Structure formats: C-alpha cells, structure tokens
Amino acid sequence: MKIIIQRVSQASVTVNEEVVGQIKRGLLLLVGVGPEDGHEDIAYAVRKIVAMRLFSDSDGKMNLSVQDIKGSILSVSQFTLYADTKKGNRPAFTGAAKPDVARAIYDQFNQALAAHVPVEKGIFGADMSLALINDGPVTISLDTKRR
C-alpha cells in the first residue's frame, strides 16, 4: 500500500456536488493499493498511522498521535499513487491492484482504522473533489513495502 498522510485542520470529499465525508482536525489519507497488498500491509499501515506522532504538544513538538488528540481520519482511495511516469508523458497505472481487489483491501483497511479512530471515507472509484486545509503543512508518505 502507498499512503499519503496529510495533517489537516479540516477536510472534506465531495462526489457529484454532495459531501460524502468530512472531518475537522485529523488526518487525510490518500490510499493506493497494489496487487500484492494484503492483511500484513493493512496491519502495518494501521499501526503506523494511528500511533504516528504528527500533532504538536504544548511545547510545539510533534509528539501527539491522531488518537492522542481525539482526531478523525478521512480516507480516500487513490490508485494514481501507483503511477509509472518513466516512459512518455502519460502515466501508466498498471502497478495498481485491479479494482475488485483494491476495493476489498481498501474496505478492510478502513474497518481496521475505525477500530481506533473515527473514519470518514470517499466513494471508491468515484470522481471525487477534495477540499482541505493542510495543517503545518505536514505531509508524510508511507509505503508498506518499504519497511
């Protein structure tokens, strides 16, 4: 799995001009699923995301997790994280999992996250619009295959 983690003060995802998910303070996740991803990747990603110290404490140091601040997560599927841009000018997305596989992994990932923090989601496979206020800004890349 490839996941972009953004610390946000607010974020929302819209489909067909309807807000389908929104959070206040927390993390926006852009989630890409690869064909080899499975339960180990889900467990690793969830463990890292919920415990990652990305929020400032009273001394201004990034010492608090999304759990510590009682924040939320907005999770959005994004197969384009698997873009191959080596040849030509049009990215190829052959490195991403097939939609049925990706949807199952993405759903399992969100369920596992929801056991720890509130989770809002986009709609898998939909054309979505994101609105966010990136806090910091803080943006982290997590790749479960690069441990």
Side-chain angles (χ1 to χ4, degrees), residues 50-53 55 63-71 117:
V50 299
M52 200 176 291
R53 297 182 300 171
F55 296 88
N63 270 331
L64 303 174
S65 71
V66 69
Q67 285 183 305
D68 296 332
I69 66 154
K70 300 194 181 351
V117 294

Side-chain angles (χ1 to χ4, degrees), residues 10-38:
Q10 64 184 36
S12 64
V13 59
T14 304
V15 176
N16 296 326
E17 299 183 26
E18 178 185 340
V19 174
V20 296
Q22 64 183 2
I23 62 169
K24 299 274 188 201
R25 190 169 183 218
L27 300 174
L28 168 64
L29 307 180
L30 305 177
V31 182
V33 177
E36 304 299 319
D37 292 335

Side-chain angles (χ1 to χ4, degrees), residues 7-103:
R7 186 178 79 184
V8 297
S9 54
Q10 64 184 36
S12 64
V13 59
T14 304
V15 176
N16 296 326
E17 299 183 26
E18 178 185 340
V19 174
V20 296
Q22 64 183 2
I23 62 169
K24 299 274 188 201
R25 190 169 183 218
L27 300 174
L28 168 64
L29 307 180
L30 305 177
V31 182
V33 177
E36 304 299 319
D37 292 335
H39 296 292
E40 286 184 18
D41 298 278
I42 293 168
Y44 175 77
V46 168
R47 186 172 61 250
K48 293 298 281 185
I49 290 165
V50 299
M52 200 176 291
R53 297 182 300 171
L54 298 175
F55 296 88
S56 299
D57 63 15
S58 59
D59 293 327
K61 294 190 181 206
M62 290 198 317
N63 270 331
L64 303 174
S65 71
V66 69
Q67 285 183 305
D68 296 332
I69 66 154
K70 300 194 181 351
S72 301
I73 288 177
L74 176 58
S75 175
V76 177
S77 62
Q78 186 148 0
F79 73 93
T80 60
L81 291 175
Y82 280 87
D84 182 351
T85 58
K86 290 180 184 151
K87 292 184 180 179
N89 294 318
R90 178 187 281 171
F93 302 107
T94 55
K98 300 290 184 213
D100 57 332
V101 172
R103 180 188 308 262

